[in-house]
Amino acid sequence: SFSSDGAKVLAGVGSSVRIYDVATGNLILSSPVLEDEKIHVIKILGKHVVVGGGRRIAMLDVEDLAPTSPFPRMADVILDLHLLFDGPRQMEVAEAKGAMRCVVGFAHNFVEVWEPFAGLCLHRIGCQDASLLYSLCLAGNSMKDLLVVSATVLQQILVWKPVLGPDTMVRQPLRYPVTSSSFLVTRQAV
């Protein structure tokens, strides 16, 4: 992942995050952040980096990789992370008002919505089809337009929309059969 100014690139190597200077290719900083898990997801937003792998998440300062938020060990394997703002779009305003959310997508086709600065899980929303997944991606800029696209081990692509409310189970995901025996859902720039 690239820093917001494009001057640095962050890479996950095992359980460590490394920061490189884009212009020179020089290593600026390396820090272990996920203990015993390999990093699979890195998201940068403003001055924060959120990394995930296995059942662990860490939120870090983009400059020195110091932890900025507590997260417990997760209940399932993490496949994707996504930072959302329901309200103000500016990072500083969102942080001050507690409007930023971290959505975590898991291997058994459910998501959790976290308040990242307090390390609190606010909601768990599941898909009725709780199949084991090969991959999952989260897309959208707010909870209102968040979509989950997941690829099951049963060779289906499911598209579903997490909705906050009294019923935390999405009943009817859209299903797309896949004819190839090998596929992967990846998140592209939105």
Side-chain angles (χ1 to χ4, degrees), residues 165-182:
D167 186 5
T168 60
M169 186 66 66
V170 175
R171 301 285 177 214
Q172 296 296 327
L174 298 174
R175 296 175 188 276
Y176 301 95
V178 178
T179 56
S180 170
S181 63
S182 176

Side-chain angles (χ1 to χ4, degrees), residues 124-130 160 163 166-172:
R124 178 182 276 192
I125 307 161
C127 181
Q128 184 177 17
D129 185 329
W160 58 282
V163 177
D167 186 5
T168 60
M169 186 66 66
V170 175
R171 301 285 177 214
Q172 296 296 327

